Amino acid sequence: MTVIGEEPFPRGALEVQTVGMTMRFGAFTALDDVSITVGAGSFHALLGENGAGKSTLVKCMMGFYHATAGQMMLGRREVKIHDPRDAHRLGLGMVYQHFTLVPSLTAAENLVISRHDTPAMIDWAREKKALDAFMSAMPFRVPLDQPVARLAAGEKQKLEILKQLYLGRRFLILDEPTSVLTPDEADEVLGHVRGLCEKGEISVLMITHKFREVTAFADEVSVLRRGRLVGQGRVGGLSHAEMAAMMIGASAARAPLPREGAPGSAILSVSGAKARDRSGLKEIDIESLTVRAGEIVGIAGISGNGQMELMEILTGQRPLIAGEVEVEGKIYHATRPEALTLAVRYLPEEPLRNACAGRMSVAENIAFRSFDVNGVGRRFWLDGRGMRDKAGSLVEAFKVKTASLDTPIAALSGGNVQRAVLARELTGDVRLLVISNPCFGLDFAAVAEIRSRIVAARNAGAAVLLMSEDLDEVMELSDRILVMSEGRIAYETPAATADLATIGHHMGGHA
Amino acid sequence: MEHDIGLWAIPIAILGGAIRVSTPFLFVSLGEVLTERSGRINLGLEGTLVFGAMAGYATAVVTGSAWAGVIVAALSGSLFGLLHGLICSLPKVNDIAIGIAMMLFGTGLAFYFGKPFIQPVAPDLPAIPLGFWSDLPQLRAALEVNVLFLIGIVLALGMAWMFRATRVGLIIRVVGDSTDAARAMGLRPALIRTLATATGGAFAGVGGAYLSLYYPGSWNEGISSGQGLMAVALVIFARWNPIACFGAALLFGGAGALGPALQSVGVTQGYYLFYAAPYVLTLGVLIAISSPNRAMTGAPGELSITK
Ligand SMILES: Nc1ncnc2c1ncn2[C@@H]1O[C@H](COP(=O)(O)OP(=O)(O)OP(=O)(O)O)[C@@H](O)[C@H]1O
Ligand SMILES: [Mg+2]
């Protein structure tokens, strides 16, 4: 907080320092004596495995958590930040890992209300003009007059970053800002932010799992492991292998399993499926889509081109206007009994929202598929101990970091929610697996592990439909690649002969 | 002079009834919209309404001024809202349970303090004869519009504008839609919800004053026939939109006037069935506008019933 009589901070980018930051949740130490300096105008990357304490550190900096011990220094001066409002006043801003936009407000309303000087009466005509002027200086665009709830994950993520830039922050924290952006989109966004750093307008602390982004945009890097600062350095002097070694310590990640076997009979077939898109204005139109047993079909595409709607059609969240979805030759309505007998499993995007009950415990969430079955029949009374035992072994097998099995799942770090849902969905007999951005926000060791599990499911004869905004992931995992653009399947190619440039062309809608 | 207008009497009586009966619906539902848009449900507004009716009437009897009654009703309503808001700000408290407790508390307290005011007569609130241009006494009676009704219209328009184009309005919507987002923005959700509930309580109190000071215009223990509760359904029906609340209040008022209107033209059989019209309407409308593929559009995200 500013003290009267004290000199104000100089204009432009701020230098920010944490000194001995420590955070305990009960007996668990999430952050242990971490000191980091982000120089004025520098772009600092923060690396670490899932659950390393990265989000905890930056939330302490923003006053969202109150650190157990430690200090914040701004421009070499100690500051007390009691809540995010204090941080905002000082010019600090953050893009959170989970989206924090207000769903029912439009993008424009979200931007205007988050300003600290929102006028008591809002002259929308003037604000719209100012927003348009602001947007025209940006290298990317987001529809401003739609409620945020209708935006796709990638658009929300861009809007979160736009918001912070709109607010004129002088120190910006980005918590995995590109997790659902395509590499091109990420470059656009981060390149712009990098430019602002070079102009001396902001300093940036970015959490990421993508080494590519670290090398391309950051000046300096710090690495956390189990809540401790285990390494620091200038980006120029570090190779990806060295960064990886710092992150995971001694042990190395597993390589993806080799694939085996040829595709079998068709498991999922969608024909002539039409549905409204999320804005209600355009149409999703899937002419025909088949996924066979023992094959991974990857759908590439820029976010907001109908992938979200296709996922919703398959999970039964979005009604069809025409056409049908069949699983193993039977019309499929995505009811729970159907999903159970046909062994259909899902990992939707934003799993905390779409595949979990946030306030229920980790053990309960893991039991969602099985709590009411007893062998082949149904059960009436829950088997509490059985549920816990199963959850316990899955938590261990998928390395879900949680304080206990009874912790509400919403308290887990982003990557660990993902792991818990995958643990549930990949367990047992799986004949059809529909997944969307399965590695959203996972660190690289976890990415390798999850991908190898997906390939293992395929090798065991499951049909896998993979929607991902990460083109590398689609290329690495798929047997066959489809490209979605404007709600349609625009292109199809076997992965073996796939050409990146052609795929990119179709993703951009230039066919 | 006797005017015989035949069956025309029915729509005219319904119009008049709609205007007269709708005012308390309008105020309570606007209060509830404000509260729910901030992310809480106050089911206690029925109690606030009854207490407001008693407090307003008692004040008018003692001071001789109906407007003083309205002001005291608003103040007492805001106190009830404040109490609800403060209790709900405590951790692990359920707003619906507290609302039901507040409803019983409000009516109980009103009956306790209201006993001595059942006999005395209080001054009425003024009405504006908007039917002066007509020489049909029925129409003139129907267009005898109370000032509070007009204030209610202004309030509805004002609230709609507030939610769209003022900082306060947007802040209330933010808090009502996402506690996390509000916190990230540095807002204090509990405080904002408490203030919204208190203001909403004041509106309901005014609705009560209308009951006892204008129509039916006396204080007794049966003064409310559940308007406070039906207003909550009305809010859902109106999709949390103040202007739609006005329309819905008129509709409910008109439906409520159906029974008396039929009676007034001499229908002697079965008219009492039409007294149930507002309740049937509530059910019918809720079923008609429900949709299997959309969650309730417009519902604030933090409401405990829609979460
Ligand atoms: N509110 C909380 N209560 C209890 N434990 C918590 C809480 N927040 C975080 N933790 C724990 O602290 C640890 C660090 O979490 P944090 O969210 O900082 O991880 P992260 O490095 O951001 O991981 P990811 O890459 O998965 O986002 C995790 O083990 C998490 O379970
Ligand atoms: Mg995190």
Side-chain angles (χ1 to χ4, degrees):
Chain A
M1 304 263 22
T2 332
V3 176
I4 296 171
E6 203 174 6
E7 264 177 68
F9 292 107
R11 296 206 55 74
L14 284 171
E15 183 193 283
V16 177
Q17 230 176 323
T18 66
V19 182
M21 207 59 106
T22 301
M23 179 77 206
R24 293 197 188 89
F25 295 107
F28 177 74
T29 305
L31 205 60
D32 193 0
D33 192 22
V34 174
S35 305
I36 286 184
T37 305
V38 182
S42 84
F43 195 124
H44 197 110
L46 184 59
L47 290 171
E49 286 187 287
N50 296 130
K54 305 177 298 294
S55 297
T56 307
L57 173 66
V58 293
K59 281 182 182 165
C60 287
M61 295 172 76
M62 288 297 292
F64 201 86
Y65 289 154
H66 290 193
T68 318
Q71 291 162 359
M72 271 288 280
M73 312 273 282
L74 241 60
R76 318 250 159 106
R77 201 186 297 165
E78 187 182 345
V79 286
K80 288 260 178 300
I81 295 177
H82 299 282
D83 57 29
R85 197 203 283 258
D86 284 350
H88 297 163
R89 232 177 269 139
L90 291 166
L92 274 53
M94 170 163 170
V95 172
Y96 291 87
Q97 189 173 10
H98 295 293
F99 300 129
T100 59
L101 294 162
V102 185
S104 73
L105 266 59
T106 65
E109 285 173 332
N110 265 290
L111 290 178
V112 169
I113 193 58
S114 50
R115 241 164 48 195
H116 74 94
D117 63 343
T118 314
M121 282 169 209
I122 300 162
D123 176 356
W124 277 115
R126 223 185 65 202
E127 297 292 350
K128 285 266 163 63
K129 214 176 281 165
L131 280 172
D132 285 338
F134 166 76
M135 289 291 272
S136 63
M138 293 292 138
F140 45 95
R141 217 125 298 212
V142 171
L144 283 180
D145 47 5
Q146 292 254 352
V148 165
R150 297 225 195 106
L151 300 182
E155 288 170 319
K156 285 187 206 166
Q157 201 155 42
K158 288 191 207 170
L159 183 60
E160 292 271 7
I161 296 166
L162 273 179
K163 182 172 106 183
Q164 296 303 323
L165 297 179
Y166 173 77
L167 295 174
R169 303 295 193 211
R170 301 157 69 191
F171 174 70
L172 185 56
I173 297 171
L174 303 170
D175 194 348
E176 299 185 29
T178 62
S179 48
V180 294
L181 300 183
T182 61
D184 282 348
E185 287 177 307
D187 287 351
E188 221 169 48
V189 173
L190 293 180
H192 185 74
V193 173
R194 165 90 215 175
L196 293 175
C197 285
E198 279 164 8
K199 275 194 246 164
E201 288 178 23
I202 51 173
S203 330
V204 173
L205 176 62
M206 173 174 78
I207 297 175
T208 183
H209 292 303
K210 298 176 185 165
F211 293 141
R212 191 186 67 80
E213 291 175 357
V214 177
T215 332
F217 300 103
D219 306 308
E220 281 177 302
V221 56
S222 296
V223 182
L224 290 184
R225 186 165 74 232
R226 306 222 169 122
R228 279 166 195 269
L229 184 65
V230 292
Q232 242 174 352
R234 295 207 57 86
V235 168
L238 284 172
S239 69
H240 289 182
E242 282 169 312
M243 291 185 224
M246 280 197 259
M247 270 174 70
I248 50 167
S251 68
R254 281 194 290 156
L257 285 181
R259 53 196 66 213
E260 53 202 42
S265 58
I267 300 289
L268 170 72
S269 56
V270 180
S271 50
K274 287 192 200 321
R276 291 244 169 285
D277 82 336
R278 70 204 135 83
S279 67
L281 302 174
K282 284 183 287 180
E283 218 171 54
I284 303 300
D285 184 357
I286 307 290
E287 199 61 29
S288 101
L289 165 67
T290 312
V291 185
R292 288 169 296 168
E295 130 179 285
I296 300 178
V297 174
I299 297 189
I302 297 168
S303 59
N305 272 289
Q307 300 96 317
M308 185 166 108
E309 287 87 349
L310 175 57
M311 186 73 189
E312 286 174 352
I313 289 171
L314 296 175
T315 54
Q317 286 168 285
R318 181 172 293 273
L320 284 174
I321 306 172
E324 49 221 18
V325 176
E326 287 179 13
V327 175
E328 298 196 33
K330 285 190 272 299
I331 301 274
Y332 180 70
H333 309 91
T335 61
R336 193 161 183 274
E338 279 177 344
L340 187 70
T341 46
L342 295 168
V344 182
R345 301 299 177 87
Y346 303 100
L347 176 74
E349 66 180 272
E350 289 182 62
L352 183 58
R353 207 173 69 106
N354 285 319
C356 295
R359 291 181 191 180
M360 290 174 81
S361 72
V362 174
E364 285 164 334
N365 271 282
I366 288 182
F368 279 175
R369 288 271 174 212
S370 55
F371 68 93
D372 60 346
V373 289
N374 185 6
V376 283
R378 298 232 142 193
R379 63 162 72 244
F380 181 77
W381 301 107
L382 294 184
D383 173 14
R385 183 173 309 156
M387 264 162 63
R388 284 185 64 88
D389 287 349
K390 197 170 152 211
S393 63
L394 283 178
V395 159
E396 201 153 307
F398 281 77
K399 304 199 190 69
V400 183
K401 287 195 189 106
T402 168
S404 82
L405 290 178
D406 301 315
T407 312
I409 197 157
L412 262 55
S413 79
N416 280 309
V417 172
Q418 190 93 353
R419 286 170 193 242
V421 174
L422 275 167
R424 174 179 84 208
E425 299 297 308
L426 286 178
T427 305
D429 177 28
V430 183
R431 263 174 288 164
L432 173 60
L433 183 61
V434 184
I435 40 187
S436 171
N437 294 312
C439 298
F440 178 113
L442 292 177
D443 62 62
F444 81 98
V447 167
E449 184 188 317
I450 296 302
R451 289 185 184 165
S452 74
R453 285 186 195 272
I454 293 170
V455 175
R458 167 208 179 274
N459 289 344
V464 181
L465 181 63
L466 164 76
M467 289 171 230
S468 176
E469 279 149 26
D470 178 351
L471 193 51
D472 292 338
E473 177 168 80
V474 173
M475 298 287 278
E476 181 183 335
L477 289 180
S478 312
D479 296 293
R480 199 145 57 82
I481 297 175
L482 308 180
V483 177
M484 247 186 123
S485 168
E486 311 256 308
R488 269 156 239 272
I489 291 177
Y491 180 64
E492 172 173 352
T493 172
T497 58
D499 169 45
L500 257 182
T502 321
I503 292 180
H505 240 67
H506 287 279
M507 279 168 68
H510 320 284
Chain B
M1 197 173 84
E2 209 17 58
H3 288 262
D4 189 15
I5 52 171
L7 285 180
W8 275 107
I10 299 178
I12 292 179
I14 290 177
L15 174 71
I19 293 174
R20 245 177 295 126
V21 179
S22 64
T23 309
F25 279 129
L26 181 57
F27 274 90
V28 179
S29 62
L30 288 181
E32 188 68 18
V33 165
L34 190 62
T35 311
E36 293 192 12
R37 276 292 186 104
S38 82
R40 285 222 186 109
I41 290 180
N42 184 359
L43 284 186
L45 289 189
E46 171 75 11
T48 312
L49 181 85
V50 174
F51 192 87
M54 188 285 295
Y57 197 79
T59 310
V61 167
V62 174
T63 63
S65 158
W67 286 111
V70 172
I71 290 169
V72 170
L75 285 177
S76 61
S78 67
L79 285 181
F80 274 98
L82 194 63
L83 186 60
H84 182 278
L86 290 176
I87 297 176
C88 290
S89 300
L90 301 173
K92 303 213 172 194
V93 172
N94 178 286
D95 52 353
I96 292 182
I98 297 301
I100 292 172
M102 292 293 297
M103 175 165 83
L104 299 173
F105 178 62
T107 31
L109 216 56
F111 293 171
Y112 177 76
F113 288 115
K115 284 271 184 299
F117 297 98
I118 294 177
Q119 289 301 328
V121 176
D124 268 1
L125 282 166
I128 301 173
L130 289 183
F132 58 87
W133 46 270
S134 163
D135 47 24
L136 277 181
Q138 290 94 332
L139 197 58
R140 273 203 240 165
L143 291 180
E144 191 86 353
V145 174
N146 189 273
V147 180
L148 281 182
F149 178 75
L150 301 176
I151 295 180
I153 297 178
V154 174
L155 203 59
L157 293 172
M159 268 174 68
W161 172 76
M162 176 184 87
F163 285 134
R164 200 181 57 80
T166 70
R167 183 177 58 214
V168 185
L170 283 191
I171 285 180
I172 292 173
R173 284 171 60 199
V174 168
V175 168
D177 209 41
S178 165
T179 307
D180 280 345
R183 287 203 53 198
M185 228 174 259
L187 298 172
R188 290 161 65 190
L191 177 73
I192 292 162
R193 289 186 183 135
T194 304
L195 293 178
T197 315
T199 314
F203 291 2
V206 173
Y210 177 93
L211 284 179
S212 62
L213 292 174
Y214 187 72
Y215 182 80
S218 63
W219 160 249
N220 61 65
E221 299 189 350
I223 189 151
S224 160
S225 46
Q227 281 102 327
L229 280 173
M230 277 167 55
V232 177
L234 197 146
V235 169
I236 298 174
F237 165 36
R239 288 289 182 264
W240 294 269
N241 173 346
I243 293 179
C245 272
F246 172 66
L250 271 186
L251 196 65
F252 275 59
L258 201 55
L262 287 176
Q263 209 179 353
S264 72
V265 296
V267 176
T268 48
Q269 284 215 321
Y271 64 83
Y272 46 83
L273 272 180
F274 288 93
Y275 278 96
Y279 311 99
V280 176
L281 187 73
T282 315
L283 281 176
V285 158
L286 284 177
I287 293 168
I289 60 177
S290 67
S291 157
N293 44 28
R294 278 174 296 127
M296 287 202 271
T297 35
E302 289 289 331
L303 275 192
S304 44
I305 46 163
T306 53
K307 248 209 295 221

